[in-house]
Amino acid sequence: GCGGGMQYVQLDVLDAGFLGHLRQLVVEVARPVALLGMHLCGTLSLRAIEAFAHLDLVRALALSPCCLPKKDDAGSAHPELYASKDSARQYSAWAA
């Protein structure tokens, strides 16, 4: 942790125990929490969104993905990402 009541924690979002560990940390602080996801390549952003959706005390989520999921990894859930070959349009669709 650090001063001002703020704590930074680095976790592996792909770890099987990620949500449980994060839930434990959130419960321990017993205050509203903001999640920050930096350089969440591909589908890692989806994992951070899942955590945000499942943890009631998490009140804010800031994502900074660095790349889109591979077309094969995105599956049929995100066909709009590849409707254009323009990378700016693809990223805009991912951020929407």
Side-chain angles (χ1 to χ4, degrees), residues 2-60:
C2 61
M6 187 171 291
Q7 180 180 12
Y8 295 93
V9 179
Q10 180 178 339
L11 300 173
D12 180 353
V13 298
L14 292 179
D15 185 90
F18 167 69
L19 282 176
H21 188 129
L22 185 59
R23 182 181 322 280
Q24 179 183 355
L25 290 169
V26 168
V27 168
E28 285 174 12
V29 297
R31 298 175 60 180
V33 171
L35 293 181
L36 171 63
M38 296 296 299
H39 296 284
L40 295 176
C41 294
T43 58
L44 294 179
S45 292
L46 297 176
R47 190 77 162 129
I49 292 166
E50 177 185 11
F52 176 71
H54 286 89
L55 301 171
D56 291 338
L57 283 176
V58 176
R59 304 285 170 81

Side-chain angles (χ1 to χ4, degrees), residues 39-43 45 64-70 91 94:
H39 296 284
L40 295 176
C41 294
T43 58
S45 292
S64 180
C66 58
C67 58
L68 297 172
K70 294 177 184 174
Y91 189 83
W94 183 235

